[in-house]
Amino acid sequence: MTHLTAELLRDGVVSEAEIAEAAGIGRPGQAIKLSPDAFHVAGIHLGAGLVQIAITDLTASAKATASFGFSLREATPDDVVARTAETLAGLIAEVDGPRLLGVGVAVPGPVNADQRSILASINTGWRNLPLAAKFETETGLPVVLEHNVSSIALAEVRYGIGRRVPAVLYVYLRTGLGAGLVVDGVPFRPGGHGAVELGHIQISQDGPPCSCGNHGCLESYVNERVLMRAAGLEGVAPSNLMERLEATETWAPTLDRLTDSLAIAINLLTPDLIVLGGHLGEAPDSMFAHLLKNLPPRVMPHMRDILRIERTSFGPLSGAFGGAAVALDHFFYSGVRQ
Ligand SMILES: [Zn+2]
């Protein structure tokens, strides 16, 4: 332990701290504390048409952030990677801080077991895309990928409202409706690489076609494009999209469908905490009150007392903090410093 601590002190990762009072017998102890600025990482959220970037310290506190939109129809993955790398290089120069250990990229779809490729992303159409290698070539930094909403769920468990919570389900609404589950601190990856597909629970066999090829999935009713149309809006979705919907006749059926699907998810996955992000994280209090009133009667009795529903800790840039949390786990806290 002394040897390890000496190494960390030498690297500047920890520093000596005051001990309030010596206790017990034997060699006096020495308290140490993490030096958050010893290293930085970058987190990137690659969404369908939107990229968010954050450089953070070792506690996932932001040092610099940026975001930009892109046209899925016109931009190739290589275009998006090149522009992201260029924007990241600008942020790194702006921060002018300690060595950046690596990059975590939160991607819109499940990733392969070694976290190097996107397997299949429905909303972008990207399949078997070796994105980590592309980012490494463009940035010169080590890169690791993770499913986007799993990444944000991990960020909540490590640095946000999900700390010390055994099972956290994160539900994220933007282009689509995604979910991520972290159990006992580990992202749940069914089949070694899958994702929790809450948005593709079929709630009506006669429903509208879904991007996955099925009909009547939750996501075919609850996605940004459909909700924008229902609110009579065009262009970039406003941050108060859910509030704007509240006065429309779409609101009640939207809430019912969301409640139905969350009840199924709670009974199957038994989360202690559900965190809502994206447009759901910015929804009015009335939506949270509706869920807290209508979900408990529909789940198993032991879940009624346990369940909590909260807003995301990370605001609109939650995906970038998700990427940073993955990078911190991979390149720092797991000991894989390169
Ligand atoms: Zn579907």
Side-chain angles (χ1 to χ4, degrees):
M1 185 59 77
T2 305
H3 176 73
L4 284 173
T5 308
E7 199 175 312
L8 292 169
L9 282 165
R10 194 181 58 234
D11 288 356
V13 175
V14 297
S15 61
E16 294 184 347
E18 300 260 329
I19 298 185
E21 151 183 350
I25 54 169
R27 191 172 160 187
Q30 172 61 58
I32 55 171
K33 63 180 180 186
L34 181 71
S35 302
D37 271 316
F39 296 104
H40 287 169
V41 296
I44 294 170
H45 182 200
L46 205 48
L50 179 69
V51 174
Q52 300 173 326
I53 307 171
I55 291 178
T56 79
D57 68 12
L58 296 177
T59 62
S61 291
K63 296 293 171 181
T65 62
S67 62
F68 63 86
F70 66 92
S71 163
L72 256 181
R73 236 173 318 173
E74 290 163 20
T76 66
D78 286 349
D79 295 337
V80 178
V81 170
R83 187 167 169 199
T84 305
E86 191 184 325
T87 310
L88 175 60
L91 287 184
I92 292 171
E94 179 189 319
V95 171
D96 193 21
R99 183 156 74 89
L100 202 140
L101 291 175
V103 183
V105 187
V107 298
V111 300
N112 68 344
D114 62 7
Q115 297 182 263
R116 304 285 301 164
S117 302
I118 296 181
L119 288 175
S121 166
I122 292 169
N123 288 326
T124 58
W126 298 341
R127 298 180 76 85
N128 298 316
L129 185 68
L131 204 62
K134 286 179 185 290
F135 267 112
E136 285 175 351
T137 303
E138 289 285 340
T139 64
L141 291 161
V143 173
V144 61
L145 311 181
E146 181 58 282
H147 172 255
N148 54 6
V149 193
S150 301
S151 304
I152 315 174
L154 184 72
E156 293 288 358
V157 167
R158 297 281 190 269
Y159 311 101
I161 201 166
R163 272 177 288 190
R164 291 178 287 282
V165 180
V168 175
L169 177 68
Y170 195 104
V171 181
Y172 183 86
L173 169 63
R174 207 161 286 280
T175 311
L177 188 82
L181 179 68
V182 174
V183 180
D184 295 333
V186 180
F188 177 65
R189 306 168 95 214
H193 47 66
V196 177
E197 296 292 3
L198 177 73
H200 298 283
I201 290 178
Q202 190 183 37
I203 54 176
S204 166
Q205 291 190 21
D206 304 322
C210 180
S211 52
C212 73
N214 200 352
H215 282 260
C217 297
L218 174 65
E219 185 176 292
S220 65
Y221 297 98
V222 186
N223 69 64
E224 188 177 271
R225 186 176 48 82
V226 165
L227 298 180
M228 284 282 285
R229 200 185 309 142
L233 297 168
E234 284 180 15
V236 178
S239 62
N240 66 347
L241 173 60
M242 303 303 279
E243 196 182 324
R244 303 271 288 264
L245 273 175
E246 203 178 8
T248 71
E249 56 188 25
T250 307
W251 183 244
T254 297
L255 271 188
D256 286 346
R257 288 169 181 136
L258 193 61
T259 310
D260 289 349
S261 305
L262 286 175
I264 294 169
I266 292 164
N267 280 324
L268 283 176
L269 305 172
T270 62
D272 305 85
L273 170 65
I274 295 178
V275 185
L276 301 181
H279 294 304
L280 294 176
E282 293 165 308
D285 290 343
S286 61
M287 187 194 78
F288 286 77
H290 175 95
L291 295 175
L292 287 169
K293 178 171 174 236
N294 291 282
L295 279 172
R298 304 179 54 185
V299 302
M300 293 299 282
H302 68 281
M303 289 304 299
R304 290 172 198 162
D305 298 331
I306 294 171
L307 184 67
R308 288 163 54 211
I309 303 174
E310 304 282 357
R311 291 176 201 276
T312 187
S313 316
F314 299 106
L317 285 178
S318 57
F321 289 102
V326 172
L328 286 168
D329 262 31
H330 197 82
F331 297 115
F332 183 71
Y333 291 108
S334 66
V336 188
R337 266 190 283 152
Q338 299 180 3

